[in-house]
């Protein structure tokens, strides 16, 4: 997500269906990943000016074009070599930035006053494996339900040929506005040439270029262009890194990723390396399931992902 709602002023957000609040009433687990959104919004149903002011992760994956659509918030991502992952093939994990932003934005603009968002769970199911038709993918995100403690959203992603590429869903927790002290998304300082040299495989650092990672953990140095406005690694980057770590652990590279579900436990600071540990839960001839734990400072897990890969 970015720091603005990206929709025209005066447009109302449809009222979301209210969901029962849990018995505890607690706002969110203290380790949830920071959304990096500003705390101020005049009214929950008031929408700000459209803007493509984006941070490094959005620049890397050419994510832009926030706007209201007939069925929800729309966001697009250009198709190109920046989608290439381990093995030189387009990476399903590259959808992480697009899905994370388009799923969080509609909840953000319709959240209760005085609250902030943290993502707890992000899931993407692949309908059409890559490569995808360009020139752009278009994602539409809608609110499923929201109450004082949490929001649920879903999205669909189609390619340039109008084919359904993937569906996504998110579970976001609402916390008091001052809880995470966000700084707001900073505009990317990447030049076009620098961004062109980065792709999905680079979320794993050098290991992404070599396809390494079959066995030991993958250590990725901190990179400022991977951050959101609060100085943490963007959730979509952790999503992409986890999916690519599973792809790097695939012994023969015969399988393609069909689904990724990631739970965010705590923020991963940009100043620290991220370590991806891959545990094969099952490796068959046609189906494999991997558990990928991303660890940041102190060795504590910041996210845990389940990545399913199958023969297509």
């Amino acid at each position: 997500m970015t720091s603005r709602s990206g929709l025209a002023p005066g447009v109302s957000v449809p009222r979301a269906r209210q969901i029962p609040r849990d018995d505890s009433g607690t706002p969110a687990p203290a380790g949830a990943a920071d959304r990096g959104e500003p705390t101020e919004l005049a009214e929950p149903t008031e929408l700000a000016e459209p803007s493509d002011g984006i941070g490094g992760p959005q620049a890397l994956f050419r994510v832009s074009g926030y706007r209201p659509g007939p069925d929800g918030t729309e966001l697009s991502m250009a198709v190109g070599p920046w989608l290439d992952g381990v093995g030189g093939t387009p990476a399903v994990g590259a959808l992480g930035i697009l899905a994370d932003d388009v799923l969080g934005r509609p909840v953000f603009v319709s959240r209760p006053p005085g609250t902030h968002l943290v993502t707890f769970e992000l899931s993407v199911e692949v309908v059409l494996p890559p490569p995808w038709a360009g020139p752009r993918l278009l994602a539409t995100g809608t609110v499923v339900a929201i109450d004082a403690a949490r929001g649920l959203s879903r999205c669909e992603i189609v390619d340039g040929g109008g084919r359904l590429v993937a569906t996504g869903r998110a579970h976001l927790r609402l916390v008091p506005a001052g809880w995470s002290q966000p700084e707001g998304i900073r505009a990317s300082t990447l030049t076009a040439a620098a961004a062109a040299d980065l792709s999905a495989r680079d979320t794993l650092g050098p290991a992404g270029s070599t396809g390494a990672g079959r066995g030991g953990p993958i250590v990725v140095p901190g990179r400022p262009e991977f951050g959101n406005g609060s100085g943490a690694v963007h959730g979509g980057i952790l999503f992409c890194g986890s999916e690519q770590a599973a792809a790097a652990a695939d012994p023969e590279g015969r399988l393609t990723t069909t689904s990724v579900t990631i739970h965010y436990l705590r923020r991963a600071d940009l100043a620290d390396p991220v370590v991806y540990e891959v545990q094969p839960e099952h490796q068959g001839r046609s189906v494999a399931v991997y558990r990928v734990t991303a660890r940041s400072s102190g060795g504590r897990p910041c996210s845990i992902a389940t990545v399913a890969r199958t023969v297509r």
Side-chain angles (χ1 to χ4, degrees):
M1 293 174 62
T2 65
S3 61
R4 299 182 178 90
S5 69
L7 305 179
V11 179
S12 296
V13 177
R15 181 178 297 275
R17 179 172 60 86
Q18 299 297 302
I19 55 179
R21 186 167 181 169
D22 55 41
D23 293 335
S24 67
T26 55
D34 178 38
R35 298 296 308 171
E37 295 289 355
T39 58
E40 67 276 5
L41 193 64
E43 296 289 342
T45 55
E46 291 296 321
L47 308 176
E49 292 286 351
S51 173
D52 279 344
I54 56 176
Q58 291 85 358
L60 292 179
F61 289 94
R62 277 56 167 191
V63 172
S64 62
Y66 293 100
R67 62 183 181 182
D71 299 314
T73 301
E74 293 183 354
L75 179 62
S76 68
M77 179 173 73
V79 173
W82 44 88
L83 304 185
D84 287 350
V86 171
T89 59
V92 167
L95 298 175
I97 303 295
L98 179 65
D100 186 51
D101 283 9
V102 81
L103 285 165
R105 180 166 295 265
V107 178
F108 175 72
V109 299
S110 56
R111 75 200 190 286
T115 60
H116 185 70
L117 290 181
V118 292
T119 303
F120 172 60
E121 178 183 88
L122 173 66
S123 182
V124 171
E125 300 282 342
V126 179
V127 177
L128 178 69
W132 302 303
R136 304 189 72 83
L137 303 180
L138 178 65
T140 302
T142 58
V143 175
V144 174
I146 189 170
D147 67 6
R150 59 193 175 216
L152 306 176
S153 57
R154 63 188 174 195
C155 73
E156 291 189 350
I157 303 172
V158 299
D159 70 3
R163 301 176 301 174
L164 181 63
V165 165
T167 63
R169 58 181 175 80
H171 177 178
L172 303 105
R173 301 292 295 182
L174 280 77
V175 298
W179 177 78
S180 57
Q181 299 180 339
E183 301 170 9
I185 289 294
R186 294 179 290 268
S188 172
T189 58
L190 292 174
T191 65
D197 291 334
L198 295 170
S199 63
R201 71 172 67 91
D202 292 299
T203 58
L204 295 185
S209 299
T210 63
R214 297 172 185 173
I218 300 172
V219 181
V220 182
R223 304 186 72 155
E225 61 265 32
F226 287 169
N228 61 23
S230 66
V233 178
H234 191 290
I237 293 291
L238 292 174
F239 180 102
C240 188
S242 297
E243 189 273 334
Q244 286 293 281
D250 190 341
E252 298 180 8
R254 298 179 298 106
L255 310 180
T256 60
T257 297
T258 54
S259 69
V260 180
T261 297
I262 186 169
H263 291 91
Y264 298 103
L265 309 179
R266 55 178 55 84
R267 56 184 282 134
D269 290 330
L270 281 177
D272 299 320
V274 174
V275 179
Y276 293 94
E277 299 173 349
V278 183
Q279 175 63 47
E281 299 292 347
H282 174 77
Q283 287 180 307
R285 293 182 177 180
S286 60
V287 175
V289 178
Y290 298 91
R291 178 184 175 93
V292 183
T293 302
R295 301 183 186 275
S296 188
S297 58
R300 299 182 301 171
C302 51
S303 67
I304 298 175
T306 300
V307 182
R309 293 171 60 81
T310 67
V311 169
R312 284 283 189 171

